[in-house]
Short mmCIF file of all heavy atoms in Angstrom, two decimals:
data_model
loop_
_atom_site.label_atom_id
_atom_site.label_comp_id
_atom_site.label_asym_id
_atom_site.label_seq_id
_atom_site.Cartn_x
_atom_site.Cartn_y
_atom_site.Cartn_z
N ILE A 895 -70.52 -61.29 -67.99
CA ILE A 895 -70.17 -60.96 -66.61
C ILE A 895 -70.19 -62.21 -65.73
O ILE A 895 -69.27 -62.44 -64.93
CB ILE A 895 -71.15 -59.90 -66.06
CG1 ILE A 895 -70.92 -58.56 -66.76
CG2 ILE A 895 -70.99 -59.75 -64.55
CD1 ILE A 895 -71.91 -57.49 -66.36
N SER A 896 -71.23 -63.03 -65.89
CA SER A 896 -71.31 -64.26 -65.10
C SER A 896 -70.12 -65.16 -65.38
O SER A 896 -69.56 -65.79 -64.47
CB SER A 896 -72.62 -64.99 -65.42
OG SER A 896 -73.74 -64.19 -65.07
N SER A 897 -69.72 -65.22 -66.65
CA SER A 897 -68.56 -66.05 -67.02
C SER A 897 -67.28 -65.50 -66.40
O SER A 897 -66.42 -66.26 -65.93
CB SER A 897 -68.43 -66.11 -68.54
OG SER A 897 -69.59 -66.67 -69.12
N MET A 898 -67.14 -64.17 -66.42
CA MET A 898 -65.94 -63.56 -65.83
C MET A 898 -65.85 -63.87 -64.35
O MET A 898 -64.77 -64.23 -63.83
CB MET A 898 -65.98 -62.03 -66.01
CG MET A 898 -65.71 -61.54 -67.42
SD MET A 898 -65.73 -59.72 -67.44
CE MET A 898 -65.43 -59.42 -69.18
N ILE A 899 -66.97 -63.72 -63.65
CA ILE A 899 -66.98 -63.96 -62.21
C ILE A 899 -66.64 -65.42 -61.90
O ILE A 899 -65.82 -65.73 -61.03
CB ILE A 899 -68.34 -63.58 -61.61
CG1 ILE A 899 -68.56 -62.07 -61.76
CG2 ILE A 899 -68.45 -64.00 -60.15
CD1 ILE A 899 -69.96 -61.61 -61.36
N ALA A 900 -67.25 -66.33 -62.66
CA ALA A 900 -66.99 -67.75 -62.44
C ALA A 900 -65.53 -68.10 -62.72
O ALA A 900 -64.89 -68.85 -61.97
CB ALA A 900 -67.93 -68.58 -63.31
N MET A 901 -65.01 -67.55 -63.82
CA MET A 901 -63.61 -67.82 -64.18
C MET A 901 -62.67 -67.28 -63.11
O MET A 901 -61.71 -67.95 -62.71
CB MET A 901 -63.30 -67.16 -65.53
CG MET A 901 -61.85 -67.28 -65.96
SD MET A 901 -61.52 -66.27 -67.42
CE MET A 901 -61.86 -64.65 -66.77
N ALA A 902 -62.93 -66.04 -62.63
CA ALA A 902 -62.08 -65.45 -61.61
C ALA A 902 -62.09 -66.28 -60.34
O ALA A 902 -61.03 -66.51 -59.71
CB ALA A 902 -62.54 -64.03 -61.32
N HIS A 903 -63.27 -66.75 -59.93
CA HIS A 903 -63.35 -67.58 -58.72
C HIS A 903 -62.60 -68.88 -58.90
O HIS A 903 -61.97 -69.38 -57.96
CB HIS A 903 -64.82 -67.83 -58.38
CG HIS A 903 -65.51 -66.61 -57.82
ND1 HIS A 903 -66.88 -66.50 -57.73
CD2 HIS A 903 -65.00 -65.45 -57.32
CE1 HIS A 903 -67.19 -65.33 -57.20
NE2 HIS A 903 -66.07 -64.67 -56.95
N GLU A 904 -62.67 -69.45 -60.11
CA GLU A 904 -61.91 -70.68 -60.38
C GLU A 904 -60.40 -70.45 -60.24
O GLU A 904 -59.65 -71.34 -59.86
CB GLU A 904 -62.22 -71.19 -61.78
CG GLU A 904 -63.59 -71.82 -61.93
CD GLU A 904 -63.70 -73.12 -61.13
OE1 GLU A 904 -62.68 -73.84 -61.01
OE2 GLU A 904 -64.80 -73.40 -60.61
N LEU A 905 -59.98 -69.22 -60.54
CA LEU A 905 -58.56 -68.88 -60.45
C LEU A 905 -58.18 -68.38 -59.06
O LEU A 905 -57.03 -67.96 -58.83
CB LEU A 905 -58.20 -67.81 -61.49
CG LEU A 905 -58.32 -68.24 -62.95
CD1 LEU A 905 -58.10 -67.04 -63.87
CD2 LEU A 905 -57.31 -69.33 -63.27
N GLY A 906 -59.16 -68.38 -58.14
CA GLY A 906 -58.88 -67.94 -56.78
C GLY A 906 -58.85 -66.44 -56.63
O GLY A 906 -58.23 -65.92 -55.68
N LEU A 907 -59.50 -65.70 -57.53
CA LEU A 907 -59.50 -64.25 -57.48
C LEU A 907 -60.85 -63.74 -56.99
O LEU A 907 -61.90 -64.28 -57.34
CB LEU A 907 -59.23 -63.66 -58.88
CG LEU A 907 -57.96 -64.12 -59.59
CD1 LEU A 907 -57.88 -63.49 -60.98
CD2 LEU A 907 -56.73 -63.76 -58.77
N GLU A 908 -60.83 -62.67 -56.19
CA GLU A 908 -62.05 -61.98 -55.83
C GLU A 908 -62.42 -61.01 -56.95
O GLU A 908 -61.56 -60.58 -57.73
CB GLU A 908 -61.88 -61.23 -54.51
CG GLU A 908 -61.67 -62.16 -53.31
CD GLU A 908 -61.65 -61.39 -52.00
OE1 GLU A 908 -61.71 -60.14 -52.04
OE2 GLU A 908 -61.57 -62.04 -50.95
N VAL A 909 -63.71 -60.65 -57.02
CA VAL A 909 -64.20 -59.84 -58.13
C VAL A 909 -64.86 -58.57 -57.60
O VAL A 909 -65.69 -58.63 -56.68
CB VAL A 909 -65.20 -60.62 -59.01
CG1 VAL A 909 -65.68 -59.75 -60.17
CG2 VAL A 909 -64.56 -61.91 -59.52
N VAL A 910 -64.49 -57.44 -58.21
CA VAL A 910 -65.13 -56.15 -57.92
C VAL A 910 -65.75 -55.65 -59.21
O VAL A 910 -65.09 -55.62 -60.26
CB VAL A 910 -64.10 -55.12 -57.40
CG1 VAL A 910 -64.80 -53.78 -57.14
CG2 VAL A 910 -63.43 -55.61 -56.15
N ALA A 911 -67.02 -55.25 -59.15
CA ALA A 911 -67.70 -54.69 -60.31
C ALA A 911 -67.72 -53.18 -60.18
O ALA A 911 -68.16 -52.63 -59.16
CB ALA A 911 -69.12 -55.24 -60.44
N GLU A 912 -67.25 -52.47 -61.22
CA GLU A 912 -67.23 -51.02 -61.22
C GLU A 912 -68.47 -50.47 -61.93
O GLU A 912 -69.07 -51.14 -62.78
CB GLU A 912 -65.98 -50.50 -61.93
CG GLU A 912 -64.68 -50.87 -61.25
CD GLU A 912 -63.47 -50.32 -61.98
OE1 GLU A 912 -63.29 -50.65 -63.17
OE2 GLU A 912 -62.71 -49.54 -61.37
N GLY A 913 -68.82 -49.23 -61.61
CA GLY A 913 -69.89 -48.54 -62.33
C GLY A 913 -71.28 -48.99 -61.95
O GLY A 913 -72.21 -48.89 -62.78
N VAL A 914 -71.48 -49.51 -60.76
CA VAL A 914 -72.81 -49.96 -60.33
C VAL A 914 -73.65 -48.71 -59.98
O VAL A 914 -73.29 -47.95 -59.06
CB VAL A 914 -72.71 -50.89 -59.11
CG1 VAL A 914 -74.10 -51.35 -58.69
CG2 VAL A 914 -71.81 -52.07 -59.44
N GLU A 915 -74.78 -48.52 -60.69
CA GLU A 915 -75.58 -47.32 -60.50
C GLU A 915 -77.04 -47.61 -60.17
O GLU A 915 -77.75 -46.70 -59.72
CB GLU A 915 -75.50 -46.45 -61.75
CG GLU A 915 -74.09 -45.96 -62.05
CD GLU A 915 -74.02 -45.10 -63.30
OE1 GLU A 915 -75.08 -44.94 -63.95
OE2 GLU A 915 -72.92 -44.59 -63.61
N THR A 916 -77.49 -48.83 -60.43
CA THR A 916 -78.91 -49.13 -60.20
C THR A 916 -79.06 -50.37 -59.33
O THR A 916 -78.14 -51.19 -59.22
CB THR A 916 -79.64 -49.34 -61.54
OG1 THR A 916 -79.14 -50.55 -62.14
CG2 THR A 916 -79.43 -48.16 -62.48
N GLU A 917 -80.26 -50.50 -58.75
CA GLU A 917 -80.58 -51.67 -57.94
C GLU A 917 -80.61 -52.92 -58.79
O GLU A 917 -80.23 -54.01 -58.34
CB GLU A 917 -81.93 -51.46 -57.24
CG GLU A 917 -81.90 -50.46 -56.11
CD GLU A 917 -81.10 -50.96 -54.93
OE1 GLU A 917 -80.94 -52.19 -54.78
OE2 GLU A 917 -80.60 -50.13 -54.16
#
Side-chain angles (χ1 to χ4, degrees):
I895 291 175
S896 299
S897 300
M898 286 182 181
I899 295 173
M901 176 189 63
H903 287 164
E904 286 293 327
L905 294 174
L907 305 177
E908 293 186 356
V909 181
V910 179
E912 296 181 301
V914 181
E915 298 180 357
T916 67
E917 288 292 337

